[in-house]
């Protein structure tokens, strides 16, 4: 709807409470955005037809997200070979506009090799401002030579 530049950064901290094959992670994320041109929030939802909520680009915007993520590998793990897992996550979030969010998500993951993963995921956001749902398919390619930790199942 307009031309705008955004500068942003994230600070992410992940703590593993439990390791694979049933991995539980605590996640703390701080996200910051700075838009070059501010767009004032318009309370009339008919201004941009087809959108769930009015487009809004504040000058400065940030949020804190805290959550848990569970990943469970479904087959015996062999480094560098097919690995299947599912992921479930829940987080709470607050932003600079004093909006509180509940976020839920789940994914099915297929690691073809150490460097190639296909995921199909869904995410839901529930808040006082708006609710949203999404379904995504992601293909992640890691650069060769990078270290990927592939846990080995204990007997």
């Amino acid at each position: 709807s307009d031309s705008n530049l955004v500068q942003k950064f994230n600070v992410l901290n992940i703590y593993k409470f439990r390791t694979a094959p049933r991995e539980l992670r605590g996640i703390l994320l701080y996200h910051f955005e700075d838009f070059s041109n501010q767009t004032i929030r318009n309370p009339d939802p008919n201004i941009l037809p087809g959108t769930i909520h009015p487009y809004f680009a504040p000058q400065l915007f940030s949020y804190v997200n805290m959550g848990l993520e569970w990943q469970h590998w479904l087959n015996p793990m062999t480094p560098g070979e097919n690995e299947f897992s599912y992921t479930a996550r829940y987080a709470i979030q607050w932003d600079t506009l004093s909006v509180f969010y509940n976020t839920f998500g789940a994914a099915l993951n297929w690691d073809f090799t150490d460097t190639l993963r296909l995921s199909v995921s869904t995410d839901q956001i529930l808040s006082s401002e708006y609710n949203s749902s999404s379904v995504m398919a992601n293909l992640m390619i890691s650069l060769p030579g990078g270290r990927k930790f592939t846990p080995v199942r204990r007997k």
Side-chain angles (χ1 to χ4, degrees):
S1 62
D2 64 7
S3 294
N4 208 343
L5 293 175
V6 62
Q7 300 80 36
K8 58 181 156 180
F9 72 89
N10 292 316
V11 177
L12 175 65
N13 189 22
I14 299 174
Y15 180 79
K16 290 185 180 182
F17 296 107
R18 185 176 171 155
T19 58
R22 293 174 183 92
E23 188 170 280
L24 179 63
R25 296 181 287 263
I27 298 172
L28 179 61
L29 168 70
Y30 174 73
H31 175 88
F32 174 83
E33 295 179 343
D34 178 24
F35 291 88
S36 59
N37 296 307
Q38 183 175 9
T39 303
I40 305 301
R41 184 175 210 142
N42 190 332
D44 183 1
N46 297 320
I47 297 299
L48 294 175
T51 61
I52 296 174
H53 58 88
Y55 172 72
F56 177 53
Q59 190 70 34
L60 299 173
F61 181 75
S62 66
Y63 61 81
V64 174
N65 183 300
M66 296 180 294
L68 293 172
E69 183 174 82
W70 172 264
Q71 186 167 2
H72 184 170
W73 278 264
L74 301 172
N75 61 329
M77 297 176 193
T78 307
E81 295 186 13
N82 289 328
E83 295 174 5
F84 297 95
S85 65
Y86 70 86
T87 306
R89 57 191 167 271
Y90 170 74
I92 55 176
Q93 179 174 303
W94 295 273
D95 67 21
T96 50
L97 300 174
S98 299
V99 176
F100 174 78
Y101 303 84
N102 283 292
T103 62
F104 307 86
L108 293 173
N109 310 302
W110 178 13
D111 295 339
F112 297 101
T113 66
D114 282 347
T115 59
L116 191 61
R117 171 181 271 195
L118 176 65
S119 292
V120 176
S121 64
T122 180
D123 288 295
Q124 287 74 40
I125 298 174
L126 303 173
S127 74
S128 60
E129 289 294 313
Y130 70 94
N131 299 329
S132 74
S133 295
S134 63
V135 176
M136 296 170 279
N138 297 306
L139 180 63
M140 296 187 325
I141 302 170
S142 303
L143 296 175
R147 286 187 68 201
K148 177 187 175 196
F149 174 73
T150 304
V152 177
R153 189 180 298 256
R154 296 180 196 146
K155 295 188 180 193

